[in-house]
Amino acid sequence: MSVADAAPISRRAFLAGSAATGVVLLAGPADVRLAHGAVVRRYPFALGVASGDPLPHRVVLWTRLVRDPLDAGSMPRRPVAVEWELSRHPRFRGARRHGVVRALPRLAHSVHVDVGGLRPATDYWYRFRVGRHVSETGRTRTAPEHGASIQHLRLGVANCQDWQSGYWPAYTALADEDLDVVLHLGDYIYESDPASAYRDRLHTKPHRSGLNQLFTLADYRNRHALYKTDPALQAAHAAFPWVVTWDDHEVESNYANRVDADPHRPRRQGPVRFARERARAYQAYYEHMPIRVPYRVGSPNLRIYRRFDFGNLLRLNVLDTRQYRTPQPDGRGGGYGAEDAGRANTHGTLMGSGQERWLHAGLRSSPARWNVIAQQVMMSRLRFPTEPGQTQYVTNLDQWDGYAPARDRLLHFLASARVANPVVLAGDLHASCFSDVRLNFDDPTSQIVASEYLATSISSGFAPGDDAALKAANPTLNPHIRHFDGARRGYLRIDVNRQRVQVEQRSVDTIATRSSPVRTTAAFVTAAGSPGVVPA
Ligand code: FE
Ligand code: CA
């Protein structure tokens, strides 16, 4: 059965606010015994609620039932009836939508309710119930009607949230913004073993610790669940619909398709073994995200690249540059290597041919004023300062620099197809980096074909030495980079209208505490018809 099939199996009233209401037991298919509410004694919504993938008339609602959040095996091995409710009123007054879905043990009792029949560009509130337990209330917002001439859209962009690096005041601040949608560009979890300066920010122990790697399905589920216990992350999920994609650490560092990029034995696995690990990681990712994708239990692959339209103002192309990529050329461990290795990677691809065709088609046919390419790794060239004895520039071959011919192909396509106002979003670097995307980065006078806004991390670190070195070297080494800041953690707030996109780097003062002031530490604009990033 399709696990995305969340058709309501009851129309029975969900009595708002009445804790006395027992679980609604239903006449489902005869072979499915829904667990009685009594088997869920403890509050099962400790991982919060979320919504995502907003369309004009649909949105996905998510939760996952847990007993012990850090023990994926602690729930009863039976389906559990979960009621959902959705309303245009924050206290669920007036007309409501509701239904019951089954949370299945083989999907870790996660639920994905794809609610249809909604009004475009409208706020909704939602919650779940099992037995006497009622979840927190989440708020979501549908996308504008297809083709609607909308004037204004606000996005948040987050990525790279290493739990062990510190706390996430950035998410507390993000939850306080007024946004239509939040994008997450990957590194939602990290796979490393427990090691943290903060005693309450230690990773859970995987099945086989000592290898900086997760292996079993329970390992991945428990790590996702650990991250989801964070109240700031829960608040940000409950505040807005999210559109998520993954990068490498949701499986393991720098992997490429079925190639385990780990340079160290015994961590490095062959393709068959690694494919199994990847499948478990993908399953846990699906189980924990408010995402509308056709997942089948046991499938080795999961197509998550997809597209969203926000009226005729903005088309959002969400890429997956991990699952289909060819291995990094000459990458050693961290992926750093000679720039020339990336230039010579003529058969390399980050997207794979199917996704590349899909992206070109979506850009060519777009009705939108702004065409956003939301993806994981930095697209613009980033040369690192050479050290004594080095005769070649060093780049991060895990980024587009390792796949320069594929990047040339995309940039020439943007130019020749006259794609309207392309804006590239990226993460992974753990620094803010805003760039003019030039057709030829070696020629500082060549045509600017797009604008790249790379968001700093929520918490993952950037070496202070590298920050100082790049700040000093960028004007000569990477003159297309107009803003670079590796010292601050935070997110991007993007305000879009028909005339311009304005991007603010929102930075917290510290991640050593759960709360911190947040400030705008950089503001840039891209004017419609004039690609490139300019100080606001
Ligand atoms: Fe990261
Ligand atoms: Ca990454």
Side-chain angles (χ1 to χ4, degrees), residues 72 106 215-222 279-281 283-284 287:
R106 64 185 163 140
F215 284 99
T216 67
L217 182 54
D219 284 344
Y220 283 103
R221 284 171 168 169
N222 293 343
R280 297 189 282 262
Q283 175 168 347
E287 289 169 349

Side-chain angles (χ1 to χ4, degrees), residues 145-150 309-315 367-370 498:
E145 187 60 278
H146 282 301
S149 183
I150 62 159
D309 283 317
F310 294 86
N312 63 9
L313 183 62
L314 187 146
R315 169 164 281 190
R369 167 74 51 119
W370 300 95
R498 303 198 75 80

Side-chain angles (χ1 to χ4, degrees), residues 3 18 28 48-49 62 74 89 142 166 178 180 233 331 484 500 513 525:
V3 297
S18 164
V49 300
W62 173 92
S74 61
H89 191 280
T142 48
D178 184 7
D180 294 288
L233 178 61
F484 183 89
R500 56 101 185 99
T513 50
V525 291

